[in-house]
């Protein structure tokens, strides 16, 4: 079994059945936070008296409202104890969906108190990252309203908006006559969310296969047309394809394959892939589209979502449920041209459950994965033969909860670049022995279709006290790790190096690099003292290369220049202003 259970979270996910109804929790308004959010519900655990949320008749939609009992003070998370709802409530919740903080008393008691005050449903907000199934406790059997449980990050978004005005939410299952749907798990996606440009030189090295299942959970037969678009960051439409109209019977599904997105060359930047099924006459259009950003980057590889500045976008935060020792959260990397690159470090984010990250120690690793297997269906697929080729370490100086941290690889004295080999499997990992440290994941990209039917390769890999899972926590949540890569110089011979003395050095606005006799293009990477690449510039030289450093802060930097004729050089520059 490839999936590993998440900490305090049992996800009950089934394969698609077009006739199955799906329970959902969505914020309907305001538009700024509208959309679906992750949750568990009273449907997930026996012993509750709550109605079956699969039955559309039990769906609820109304305004959210905090509970308030007679308690005073604040809890360890800084929230009012009165909003934990452990005692009879003093506010009227008639017709409202109650919002309750987790802490102190049983889930069943909280929901029963809300029901007794008139609530039609309840939402309990976790006090830490992740989700749990709610045990009914002593009072759950007496509850007759539905209840859901959401993680702390979702609660922060919703409660912040509640302070600004009414928030309306839907809990339950919808039923419509006309309702075509796209599931995020059913679309093809780029193989990674960020691919270094050095590994995506042309259409033989990078392309995006495009296709999706379209389902008809409605009561009536329908006709579907699937369209897909890819936009560049400036809004330019690079790809726009649509399928022929195809009938889909009620309760059935159909797969639509569209032409592959392929270009002779790719500009660096953020792209957006969006799928949409025809919305004409569709009564519920919230499930008619799926969208994902991806990058062609100068320096970063990541399967997790990056924003426009190539920073990780992470939520939720996880660890294995039964972890008592070493925990490694890893991203898998393999490329036919990996020897063009060297790894300089990895980025991630973490949080401590109910505590601080200050003085917490984190290790990072690069492992060669030497198990020989074709794909995840190969019976030899596993993690039994790893060779550690790079390490890094980081001790948090303060509680930088949820903040992205970059850790360079180091040989114990100096930061180092780890040269990579073509077609070698690698695991880039974050490791902790602390049982209350949770590492960031990304649940915005669901790689199920990619992993099950297209590439069939590892994406996220998890180690729990020496036991490895090649499937991680499943393809619907991705390890929140980005790998910093630079152009590898290990294959460049001594006769291909450049002898040059840049000037002025120190520099305050520009640095001049004499290149006697060279005219053409090149790439220059600028690294700070930690080895992190802070800028990569495409340059054109005519005997002399002038590089603008006016936008770089004061400090010591390593410049790495690679010319199109294969020659290279490295040199240190001090920027002072």
């Amino acid at each position: 079994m490839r999936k590993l259970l998440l900490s305090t979270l049992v996800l009950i996910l089934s394969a698609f059945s077009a006739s199955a109804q799906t329970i959902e929790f969505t914020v309907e308004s305001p538009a700024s936070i509208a959309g679906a959010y992750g949750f568990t519900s009273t449907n997930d655990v026996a012993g509750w008296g709550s109605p079956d949320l699969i039955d559309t008749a039990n769906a609820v939609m109304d305004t959210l409202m905090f509970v308030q009992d007679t308690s005073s003070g604040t809890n360890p998370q800084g929230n009012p104890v009165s909003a934990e709802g452990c005692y009879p409530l003093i506010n009227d919740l008639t017709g409202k969906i109650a919002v309750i903080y987790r802490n102190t008393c049983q889930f069943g008691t909280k929901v029963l108190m809300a029901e007794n005050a008139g609530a039609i449903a309840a939402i309990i907000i976790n006090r830490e990252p992740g989700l749990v199934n709610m045990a009914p406790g002593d009072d759950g059997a007496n509850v007759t309203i539905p209840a859901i449980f959401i993680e702390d990050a979702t609660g922060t978004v919703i409660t912040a908006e509640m302070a600004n005005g009414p928030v309306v939410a839907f809990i339950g299952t919808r039923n419509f006559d006309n309702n075509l749907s796209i599931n995020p798990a059913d679309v093809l996606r780029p193989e990674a969310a960020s691919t270094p440009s050095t590994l995506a030189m042309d259409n033989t090295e990078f392309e995006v296969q495009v296709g999706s299942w379209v389902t008809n959970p409605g009561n009536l037969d329908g006709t579907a047309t699937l369209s897909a678009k890819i936009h560049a960051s400036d809004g330019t439409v690079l790809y726009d394809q649509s399928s022929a109209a195809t009938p889909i019977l009620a309760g059935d599904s159909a797969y639509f394959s569209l032409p592959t997105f392929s270009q002779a060359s790719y500009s660096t930047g953020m792209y957006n892939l969006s799928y949409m099924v025809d919305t004409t006459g569709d009564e519920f259009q919230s499930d008619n589209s799926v969208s994902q950003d991806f990058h062609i980057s100068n320096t970063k590889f990541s399967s997790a979502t990056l924003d426009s500045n190539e920073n990780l976008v992470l939520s939720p935060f996880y660890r294995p449920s039964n972890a008592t020792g070493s925990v490694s959260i890893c991203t898998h990397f393999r490329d036919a041209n990996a020897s063009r690159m060297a790894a300089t470090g990895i980025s991630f984010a973490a949080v401590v459950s109910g505590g601080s990250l200050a003085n917490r120690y984190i290790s990072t690793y690069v492992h060669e994965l030497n198990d020989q297997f074709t794909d995840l269906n190969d019976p030899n697929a596993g993690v039994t033969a790893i060779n550690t080729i790079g390490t890094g370490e980081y001790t948090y100086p303060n509680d930088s909860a949820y903040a992205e941290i970059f850790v360079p690889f180091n040989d114990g004295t100096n930061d180092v670049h780890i040269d990579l080999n073509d077609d070698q499997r690698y695991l880039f990992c974050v490791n902790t022995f602390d049982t209350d440290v949770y590492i960031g994941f990304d649940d915005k990209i669901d790689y199920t279709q990619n992993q099950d039917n297209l590439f069939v390769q590892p994406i996220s890999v998890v180690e729990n006290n020496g036991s490895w899972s090649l499937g991680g926590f499943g393809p619907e949540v991705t390890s929140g790790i980005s790998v910093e890569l630079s152009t590898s110089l290990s294959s460049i011979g001594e006769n291909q190096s450049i002898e040059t003395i840049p000037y002025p050095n120190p520099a305050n606005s520009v640095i001049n690099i004499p290149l006697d006799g060279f005219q053409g293009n090149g790439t220059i990477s600028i690294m700070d003292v930690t080895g992190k690449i802070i800028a990569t510039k495409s340059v054109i030289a005519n005997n002399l290369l002038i590089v603008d450093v006016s936008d770089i802060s004061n400090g010591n930097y390593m410049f790495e220049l690679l010319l199109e004729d294969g020659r290279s050089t490295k040199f240190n520059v001090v920027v002072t202003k």
Side-chain angles (χ1 to χ4, degrees):
M1 184 175 181
R2 297 202 314 265
K3 179 178 286 189
L4 192 69
L5 292 182
L6 305 177
S7 174
T8 63
L9 167 62
V10 180
L11 291 177
I12 304 175
L13 300 173
S14 60
F16 170 73
S17 170
S19 61
Q21 300 288 351
T22 302
I23 303 171
E24 62 180 89
F25 165 54
T26 58
V27 174
E28 302 292 303
S29 66
S32 58
I33 63 167
Y37 295 86
F39 68 99
T40 61
S41 76
T42 45
N43 264 53
D44 297 330
V45 180
W48 286 91
S50 301
D52 183 5
L53 285 170
I54 291 292
D55 187 339
T56 58
N58 295 324
V60 296
M61 183 169 69
D62 219 300
T63 305
L64 307 189
M65 184 175 181
F66 270 115
V67 300
Q68 184 180 359
D69 64 23
T70 56
S71 303
S72 60
T74 57
N75 62 23
Q77 293 76 45
N79 301 313
V81 176
S82 61
E84 294 178 3
C86 293
Y87 302 99
L89 304 185
I90 59 174
N91 58 335
D92 183 4
L93 294 171
T94 301
K96 299 292 192 295
I97 298 176
V99 177
I100 313 167
Y101 285 115
R102 179 188 183 187
N103 237 9
T104 312
C105 60
Q106 298 176 347
F107 294 123
T109 300
K110 293 174 181 289
V111 180
L112 184 61
M113 293 299 172
E115 180 178 353
N116 290 340
I120 60 173
I123 299 171
I124 299 177
I125 300 172
N126 200 359
R127 60 185 173 225
E128 57 198 18
L131 298 169
V132 301
N133 283 330
M134 298 182 292
D138 298 329
D139 294 316
N142 299 318
V143 170
T144 63
I145 62 173
I148 66 169
F149 182 89
I150 62 176
E151 67 171 325
D152 60 343
T154 300
T156 298
V157 171
I158 292 173
T159 58
E161 194 59 44
M162 288 173 66
N164 297 327
V167 173
V168 176
F170 173 90
I171 300 170
T173 303
R174 305 181 194 256
N175 184 36
F176 301 98
D177 287 336
N178 299 293
N179 182 23
L180 298 173
S181 173
I182 306 175
N183 189 313
D186 292 332
V187 303
L188 294 180
R189 303 173 180 274
E191 188 170 9
S194 181
T195 301
S197 58
T198 304
L199 304 179
M201 303 292 283
D202 56 33
N203 54 14
T204 68
E205 297 181 1
F206 181 85
E207 63 181 17
V208 180
Q209 296 188 47
V210 185
S212 177
W213 287 93
V214 176
T215 66
N216 182 2
N219 300 318
L220 302 178
D221 299 344
T223 300
T225 299
L226 179 72
S227 62
K229 293 183 179 181
I230 295 178
H231 291 83
S233 56
D234 62 0
T236 302
V237 178
L238 304 175
Y239 177 97
D240 188 353
Q241 298 287 334
S242 297
S243 72
T246 302
I248 304 180
L249 300 178
D252 206 348
S253 61
Y255 185 79
F256 293 76
S257 181
L258 296 176
T260 296
F261 170 61
S262 176
Q263 295 195 146
S265 63
Y266 300 92
S267 300
T268 57
M270 186 165 73
Y271 297 72
N272 178 265
L273 166 64
S274 60
Y275 289 94
M276 177 169 286
V277 64
D278 182 23
T279 59
T280 304
D282 198 296
E283 298 174 69
F284 181 60
Q285 298 183 10
S286 294
D287 60 358
N288 285 55
S289 63
V290 173
S291 178
Q292 176 202 332
D293 294 328
F294 66 97
H295 292 254
I296 302 295
S297 170
N298 284 313
T299 64
K300 291 183 184 293
F301 167 81
S302 179
S303 293
T305 301
L306 304 183
D307 64 18
S308 59
N309 295 316
E310 298 192 351
N311 296 316
L312 288 162
V313 180
L314 301 181
S315 178
F317 286 69
Y318 289 138
R319 63 180 289 106
S321 58
N322 59 344
T324 58
S326 170
V327 169
S328 297
I329 307 298
C330 310
T331 190
H332 174 269
F333 173 81
R334 183 179 68 166
D335 192 273
N337 300 298
S339 63
R340 298 174 186 171
M341 309 296 291
T344 63
I346 63 177
S347 297
F348 65 93
V351 66
V352 168
S353 171
S356 171
L357 279 168
N359 299 315
R360 300 302 183 100
Y361 176 80
I362 301 287
S363 299
T364 61
Y365 295 96
V366 189
H367 303 300
E368 290 178 338
L369 176 57
N370 293 321
D371 293 76
Q372 299 301 308
F373 58 92
T374 303
D375 57 32
L376 289 172
N377 294 324
D378 189 326
N380 294 317
V383 184
T384 62
I386 60 173
N387 177 40
T388 303
I389 60 172
T391 62
E393 57 183 9
Y394 183 77
T395 300
Y396 278 89
N398 50 45
D399 184 23
S400 302
Y402 305 105
E404 181 174 334
I405 300 296
F406 174 77
V407 179
F409 297 123
N410 192 282
D411 63 6
T413 304
N414 301 304
D415 293 340
V416 296
H417 291 193
I418 309 298
D419 289 327
L420 306 178
N421 296 319
D422 296 345
D423 282 321
Q424 169 69 50
R425 295 183 186 274
Y426 295 94
L427 298 178
F428 291 91
C429 303
V430 175
N431 175 268
T432 178
F433 279 78
D434 291 344
T435 58
D436 56 354
V437 171
Y438 292 69
I439 304 299
F441 278 73
D442 172 26
D443 64 1
K444 298 172 182 61
I445 301 178
D446 190 325
Y447 284 106
T448 297
Q449 189 72 3
N450 279 22
Q451 192 169 74
D452 289 354
N453 299 309
L454 181 57
F455 302 109
V456 199
Q457 297 297 324
I459 300 170
S460 302
V461 179
V462 173
E463 176 260 338
N464 178 11
N465 210 22
S467 177
W468 291 85
S469 169
L470 267 181
F473 295 141
E476 65 272 16
V477 287
T478 306
S479 298
I481 293 173
S482 69
V483 184
E484 194 78 22
L485 300 168
S486 67
T487 304
S488 174
L489 301 178
S490 62
S491 62
I492 297 175
E494 186 177 343
N495 63 336
Q496 292 178 284
S497 63
I498 303 168
E499 296 296 334
T500 185
I501 301 177
Y503 65 91
N505 195 359
N508 57 26
S509 58
V510 298
I511 187 79
N512 300 290
I513 308 171
L515 298 171
D516 293 340
F518 177 80
Q519 297 181 354
N521 299 322
T523 301
I524 192 161
S525 298
I526 305 172
M527 289 160 282
D528 64 18
V529 293
T530 70
K532 182 177 182 179
I533 297 176
I534 63 166
T536 301
K537 303 173 183 282
S538 296
V539 293
I540 301 174
N542 185 2
N543 294 307
L544 179 69
L545 177 60
I546 301 175
V547 179
D548 183 6
V549 296
S550 62
D551 57 346
I552 298 176
S553 302
N554 289 348
N556 297 316
Y557 298 92
M558 170 70 77
F559 280 55
E560 183 178 281
L561 174 64
L562 179 65
L563 301 179
E564 62 181 348
D565 65 2
R567 293 186 298 156
S568 68
T569 187
K570 293 182 180 180
F571 51 88
N572 292 313
V573 173
V574 178
V575 176
T576 59
K577 300 175 185 178

